[in-house]
């Protein structure tokens, strides 16, 4: 074992150390005090199907750590279910939970001088929250994804949670009956695991595998399959080895690793939220990363995978087709990822991918051959213009017409917008503006899955645009632009838009523009006053006061 174990601060010396008495009470024997103490940050809860299987995985992690010569110490961290809170006031706590998770893991690991940490998570914010903590602490660490949910089935079609949200829109448009809506609800989520398409959870788990912080193939395994538990135990043993070899996150989470993560996200058709989270993780580890870097990589990397929400297949089918390693090998063969980047296993990316073919299996259609991609360029476009001087993020996969100019339909909250959609007040050609939902204004950047799904369900996905300073679910698709910065609450131009103003979204030119003369905008700005904060006490008030712009990752410790 390395001589510089942090845990020796509380276990070293001899029996005169009073700290050892408390450790004996939780199971330490005489021989355990010289072992590395390894934290298992367990996100188990029954609040969401994403996390309900994590308790069993934590037990496998404990067993793996013990067998490898470490001393495991399990502690809990939180989660909230984005899918359950979607469309409610509770969704304001979703992005906040990312920082609560990061703070809680950092607090325990540093407070107890742990030598390493294995974090197990399922729902969307578990992954970036854990990774931000790992980056801050820079102790040996590995992330274990709780696994994806298996698809629901109805009338020969695969279902995901997004199917239920879109069914609400279809029902409101009179396209399906009460009984058909209930059937979708009953069949969409059949068991444990995170949302089954290439939504935010599966996007972030895939990114962390590509970045070297999780074991190969682990990001796309089904939560209920035996291989997920086996992989968890293997991850625990890999972490103990990393402690022995002192392989640190700062050696893994390099600029090259972030570029590998971004390229993989583009290739698999991942979530817009990945932009926000990777910016935040880069900030925590001290790697320079900007929105422009995403656009640079987007132009080089095609979308290779036909995955939901805009495609056909779910993540379990992606796993069977070869998963993230297959996509990475294709990118490596084209010189689009860095093969010399280190992984938590101690091997490089190229070494890990050595035995994988450069083209996907011919007997599947989830991963396209290099010469026949879904889209020639990546799907996450960074748009700028007078509506978003700092930038915004658009997901343009599955969009038939990537450009729209139309009258602004302005809403001050997600609830007002959703009500207008469900009552037929939004029509083809409209550009919906949902503002004061940004990091500070919401606060918390709520995801707009309910409005976007209602638009899709109403058959308006190709003819209505939506712009917000909030976020979108990983399950969102269509002509939608989020993360608009500066946000409305701090006086961004989105706060100055009036009903009926002409607005353009042009993903081909990466432009988002309000067609109002500069002098008129100046007059509006002079008349604008900042609204009162929506919360004065509690976690949302603290968050609103500390959080940065979404263009910087919506971090809460910038420049403190």
């Amino acid at each position: 074992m390395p001589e510089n174990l942090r845990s020796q601060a509380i276990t070293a010396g001899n029996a005169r150390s009073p700290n050892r008495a408390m450790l004996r009470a939780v199971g330490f024997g005489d021989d355990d005090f010289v072992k590395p103490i390894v934290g298992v940050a367990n996100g188990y809860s029954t609040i969401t199907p994403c996390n309900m299987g994590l308790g069993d995985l934590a037990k496998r992690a404990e067993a793996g750590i013990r067998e490898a010569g470490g001393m495991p110490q399990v502690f809990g961290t939180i989660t909230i279910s984005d899918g359950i809170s979607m469309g409610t006031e509770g969704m304001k706590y979703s992005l906040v939970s990312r920082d609560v998770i990061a703070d809680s893991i950092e607090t325990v690991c540093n407070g107890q001088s742990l030598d390493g940490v294995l974090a197990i998570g399922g729902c969307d914010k578990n992954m970036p929250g854990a990774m931000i903590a790992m980056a801050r602490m820079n102790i040996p660490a590995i992330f274990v994804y709780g696994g994806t949910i298996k698809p629901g089935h109805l009338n020969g079609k695969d279902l995901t949670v997004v199917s239920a949200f879109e069914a609400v829109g279809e029902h409101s448009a009179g396209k399906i009956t009460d009984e058909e809506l209930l059937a979708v609800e009953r069949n969409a989520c059949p068991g444990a695991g995170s949302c089954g398409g290439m939504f935010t959870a599966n996007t972030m788990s895939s990114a962390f595998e590509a970045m070297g912080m999780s074991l190969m193939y682990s990001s796309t395994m089904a939560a209920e399959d035996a291989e997920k538990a086996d992989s968890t135990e293997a991850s625990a043993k890999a972490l103990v080895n990393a402690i022995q070899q002192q392989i640190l996150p700062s050696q893994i989470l390099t600029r090259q690793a972030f570029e590998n993560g971004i390229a993989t996200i583009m290739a698999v058709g991942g979530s817009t939220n990945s932009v926000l989270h990777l910016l935040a993780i880069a900030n925590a580890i001290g790697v320079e990363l900007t929105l422009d870097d995403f656009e640079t990589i987007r132009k080089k990397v095609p979308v290779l995978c036909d995955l939901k929400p805009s495609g056909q297949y779910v993540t379990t089918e992606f796993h069977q087709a070869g998963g993230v390693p297959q996509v990475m090998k294709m990118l490596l063969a084209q010189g689009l990822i860095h093969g010399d980047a280190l992984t938590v296993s101690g091997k490089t990316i190229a070494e890990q991918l050595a035995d994988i073919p450069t083209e996907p299996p011919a007997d599947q259609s989830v991963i396209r051959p290099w010469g026949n991609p879904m889209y020639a360029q990546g799907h996450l476009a960074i748009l700028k213009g007078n509506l978003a001087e700092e930038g915004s993020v658009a997901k343009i996969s599955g969009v038939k017409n990537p450009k729209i100019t139309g009258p602004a339909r302005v809403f001050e909250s997600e609830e007002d917008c959703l009500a207008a959609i469900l009552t037929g007040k939004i029509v083809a050609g409209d550009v919906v503006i949902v503002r004061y939902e940004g990091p500070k204004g919401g606060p918390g950047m709520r995801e707009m899955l309910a409005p976007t799904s209602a638009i899709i369900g109403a058959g308006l996905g190709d003819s209505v645009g939506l712009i917000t300073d909030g976020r979108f679910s990983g399950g969102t698709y269509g002509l939608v632009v989020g993360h608009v910065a500066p946000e409305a609450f701090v006086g961004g131009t989105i706060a100055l838009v009036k009903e009926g103003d002409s607005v353009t979204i042009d993903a081909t030119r990466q432009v988002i523009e309000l067609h109002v003369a500069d002098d008129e905008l100046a007059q509006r700005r002079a008349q604008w006053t900042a609204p009162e904060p929506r919360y004065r006490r509690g976690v949302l008030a603290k968050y609103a006061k500390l959080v940065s712009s979404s263009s910087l990752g919506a971090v809460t410790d910038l420049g403190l």
Side-chain angles (χ1 to χ4, degrees):
M1 290 296 165
E3 296 179 358
N4 60 337
L5 290 179
R6 295 179 357 140
S7 62
Q8 297 310 302
I10 58 173
T11 64
N14 48 52
R16 289 177 294 178
S17 173
N19 314 72
R20 292 162 50 127
M22 295 192 71
L23 290 171
R24 289 185 186 279
V26 298
F28 276 64
D30 290 343
D31 295 337
D32 295 325
F33 292 111
V34 296
K35 298 175 182 178
I37 300 181
V38 185
V40 178
N42 182 8
Y44 165 77
S45 77
T46 57
I47 285 174
T48 170
C50 310
N51 290 46
M52 61 189 283
L54 302 190
D56 290 337
L57 296 185
K59 292 176 183 177
R60 286 295 295 270
E62 280 188 279
I65 291 167
R66 289 181 189 277
E67 186 174 337
M71 192 61 185
Q73 297 286 274
V74 181
F75 62 93
T77 187
I78 67 141
T79 197
I80 66 167
S81 171
D82 290 7
I84 294 172
S85 63
M86 198 73 69
T88 74
E89 193 80 356
M91 191 62 195
K92 293 180 178 181
Y93 289 85
S94 168
L95 187 57
V96 176
S97 75
R98 182 189 75 179
D99 289 72
V100 175
I101 292 166
D103 292 349
S104 67
I105 294 174
E106 177 192 357
T107 299
V108 173
C109 290
N110 282 346
Q112 301 304 130
S113 301
L114 301 183
D115 296 305
V117 63
L118 180 151
I120 310 176
C123 201
D124 294 6
K125 306 309 173 295
N126 297 180
M127 280 72 76
M131 200 63 61
I132 289 169
M134 293 171 182
R136 289 177 186 169
M137 298 183 298
N138 199 32
I139 61 174
I142 194 167
F143 185 79
V144 172
Y145 181 43
T148 185
I149 196 172
K150 294 182 178 181
H153 301 285
L154 182 66
N155 301 325
K157 294 182 179 180
D158 287 342
L159 299 180
T160 69
V161 66
V162 175
S163 305
F165 282 89
E166 292 179 359
V168 172
E170 292 174 321
H171 182 265
S172 297
K175 296 182 177 182
I176 61 174
T177 64
D178 292 350
E179 291 75 17
E180 289 171 317
L181 175 60
L182 185 59
V184 172
E185 176 202 310
R186 285 172 170 165
N187 290 278
C189 298
S194 299
C195 299
M198 191 48 68
F199 310 150
T200 301
N202 286 322
T203 298
M204 297 313 300
S205 68
S206 296
F208 293 166
E209 181 177 323
M211 294 167 73
M213 290 296 291
S214 296
L215 295 189
M216 287 285 174
Y217 294 103
S218 65
S219 68
T220 53
M221 293 174 177
E224 296 179 322
D225 285 352
E227 66 174 347
K228 171 46 61 180
D230 294 340
S231 176
T232 300
E233 186 168 331
S235 298
K237 294 176 180 178
L239 174 59
V240 175
N241 177 69
I243 294 171
Q244 293 169 340
Q245 303 301 321
Q246 282 299 284
I247 301 171
L248 304 177
S250 59
Q251 299 169 270
I252 301 169
L253 294 175
T254 60
R255 168 75 185 203
Q256 289 73 25
F258 282 93
E259 291 180 355
N260 288 352
I262 295 169
T264 301
I265 288 165
M266 294 294 178
V268 302
S271 164
T272 54
N273 285 309
S274 62
V275 178
L276 194 75
H277 298 324
L278 290 187
L279 289 171
I281 298 163
N283 172 74
I285 201 70
V287 168
E288 185 176 342
L289 192 70
T290 70
L291 285 174
D292 292 337
D293 294 318
F294 288 83
E295 185 60 29
T296 297
I297 294 173
R298 182 189 76 82
K299 292 178 178 177
K300 300 177 182 178
V301 178
V303 178
L304 296 171
C305 300
D306 188 7
L307 293 169
K308 291 180 181 292
S310 57
Q312 299 183 63
Y313 299 102
V314 294
T315 305
T316 50
E317 293 168 305
F318 176 45
H319 184 66
Q320 293 163 5
V324 170
Q326 178 63 75
V327 170
M328 290 182 70
K329 185 58 176 280
M330 296 168 71
L331 295 172
L332 181 63
Q334 300 296 323
L336 292 172
I337 61 172
H338 303 278
D340 58 347
L342 183 67
T343 73
V344 69
S345 71
K347 296 181 179 180
T348 66
I349 291 291
E351 289 172 334
Q352 294 274 65
L353 300 176
D355 296 331
I356 297 173
T358 56
E359 286 292 332
D363 60 348
Q364 56 81 44
S365 53
V366 184
I367 307 173
R368 296 282 193 94
W370 186 264
N372 184 32
M374 292 291 294
Y375 306 98
Q377 292 183 321
H379 63 301
L380 298 181
I382 306 302
L383 276 55
K384 294 185 178 181
N386 69 347
L387 251 180
E389 293 93 338
E390 294 178 16
S392 61
V393 184
K395 188 175 185 180
I396 58 177
S397 54
V399 177
K400 293 180 181 178
N401 182 7
K403 178 180 178 180
I404 184 172
T405 297
R409 304 297 309 280
V410 181
F411 300 94
E412 309 299 323
S413 71
E414 178 187 3
E415 288 88 349
D416 291 344
C417 171
L418 180 60
I421 297 167
L422 294 179
T423 54
K425 295 177 181 177
I426 302 300
V427 299
D430 285 345
V431 179
V432 175
I433 307 286
V434 186
R435 62 192 182 192
Y436 295 102
E437 291 285 5
K440 287 183 176 294
M445 289 187 82
R446 283 195 289 183
E447 293 179 354
M448 304 291 150
L449 180 59
T452 56
S453 296
I455 287 171
I456 296 293
L460 298 170
D462 294 317
S463 58
V464 167
L466 193 151
I467 298 170
T468 182
D469 51 8
R471 297 181 295 129
F472 293 113
S473 162
T476 293
Y477 62 102
L479 194 56
V480 296
V481 184
H483 307 201
V484 167
E487 62 174 291
F489 189 81
V490 300
T493 304
I494 190 172
L496 310 179
V497 182
K498 291 185 177 181
E499 185 82 8
D501 283 347
S502 178
V503 174
T504 290
I505 302 170
D506 189 341
T508 59
R509 294 189 300 123
Q510 291 86 59
V511 168
I512 177 172
E513 189 171 5
L514 173 63
H515 299 291
V516 173
D518 289 345
D519 57 349
E520 170 64 17
L521 281 180
Q523 291 180 21
R524 294 184 188 182
R525 192 175 301 280
Q527 295 170 359
W528 178 83
T529 57
E532 290 294 314
R534 287 174 168 160
Y535 300 86
R536 293 290 187 180
R537 300 292 298 273
V539 66
L540 291 181
K542 289 191 290 185
Y543 184 85
K545 188 171 184 178
L546 292 172
V547 70
S548 74
S549 168
S550 60
S551 65
L552 300 174
V555 298
T556 54
D557 59 353
L558 188 67
L560 292 180

